[in-house]
Amino acid sequence: MLRHGHRVSTAARPLLSQRWRSLSSPADVTADASAKARVSATRRWIDEVVIGERLCPFAALVRAEAWRLRIVPSSARGPDDVVAEVSKEAEALMQGLQSQHGAGAHDFPETTLLVLDEQWPFVHQWRDLVRLSWRLQAEAILGRGYASDLQLVLFHPKAVHTAYAEGPPDAADYTIRAPHPTVHLLREIDVLRAVRSYESAEQIPSRNKARLRQQGVDACRARLTRILTGS
């Protein structure tokens, strides 16, 4: 669970390719390479920043068991596609809730990261992702009756805590920055359980901001760039 990003207010797998082809087109090869690169960068970010910099004290346990965390490279080419993907991932989390004490409990993840491709204009800027998240919340969560069970949290390479991105660069913004635009789906029951088990959990966001501010903007920027490029 990586719940330290921008939470969206409450106001089964995406199909990258199900058909075998004897010869892939250049577009298919490029899309596949992009998907793999996004997943790899996200894993590095989790290991080096979320866990390595102790931004989320609960993430290591989730990362340690493969079934708990699902990282999905989005194949969306428009907002409708993202809504469909988030809806599908939300349904999988709900199925996990329904079977969490049964034999198939480990067949479904506890939390999911949907990693989008920032080349598309609907997620290119931080505000674009935030704007899209209102629809995701309305249609994929509230509209399906999942409001009391699931949360959406956002990360983005250009994310900022301030509403209008005013003032000088702030290293604290890197607490909600990831290599790629990302929609994080969490189960409410897991969030509550984790918070109750951790003393002073409400201080985690301010503590994280202070730690990264101490490191400085240049160090945070260089680290995220290195994670993105894999260098």
Side-chain angles (χ1 to χ4, degrees), residues 81-93:
D81 297 332
V82 183
V83 173
E85 289 180 339
V86 171
S87 297
K88 190 166 188 177
E89 296 305 324
E91 182 179 353
L93 293 185

Side-chain angles (χ1 to χ4, degrees), residues 15-187:
L15 302 180
L16 296 176
S17 176
Q18 291 289 354
R19 183 178 298 174
W20 181 87
R21 298 176 182 177
S22 59
L23 181 63
S24 297
S25 69
D28 291 334
V29 173
T30 300
D32 186 57
S34 169
K36 290 179 179 178
R38 279 180 277 140
V39 169
S40 295
T42 300
R43 288 198 179 109
R44 290 192 293 270
W45 169 68
I46 293 171
D47 292 339
E48 297 184 33
V49 178
V50 179
I51 296 176
E53 295 300 326
R54 295 175 293 162
L55 297 187
C56 179
F58 320 114
L61 177 61
V62 176
R63 182 77 167 95
E65 297 185 76
W67 69 271
R68 293 179 181 270
L69 173 64
R70 177 167 152 77
I71 304 175
V72 183
S74 169
S75 59
R77 292 175 175 266
D80 289 348
D81 297 332
V82 183
V83 173
E85 289 180 339
V86 171
S87 297
K88 190 166 188 177
E89 296 305 324
E91 182 179 353
L93 293 185
M94 291 300 298
Q95 287 180 289
L97 283 174
Q98 295 164 7
S99 62
Q100 61 180 326
H101 300 300
H106 293 183
D107 292 340
F108 302 97
E110 290 183 353
T111 188
T112 300
L113 295 171
L114 180 66
V115 187
L116 298 139
D117 188 341
E118 63 267 33
Q119 72 168 315
W120 300 111
F122 55 89
V123 293
H124 185 64
Q125 300 294 334
W126 169 236
R127 290 186 186 181
D128 298 325
L129 181 61
V130 172
R131 190 177 300 111
L132 174 60
S133 74
W134 301 337
R135 185 177 169 194
L136 299 179
Q137 182 73 19
E139 298 182 28
I141 304 299
L142 297 178
R144 299 170 70 88
Y146 300 159
S148 62
D149 297 297
L150 302 181
Q151 294 183 11
L152 295 183
V153 174
L154 306 179
F155 298 92
H156 194 282
K158 302 174 183 177
V160 291
H161 286 288
T162 58
Y164 301 103
E166 298 174 337
D170 187 354
D173 290 334
Y174 284 85
T175 63
I176 56 173
R177 291 190 179 185
H180 301 279
T182 301
V183 179
H184 185 196
L185 293 87
L186 306 100
R187 306 187 312 189

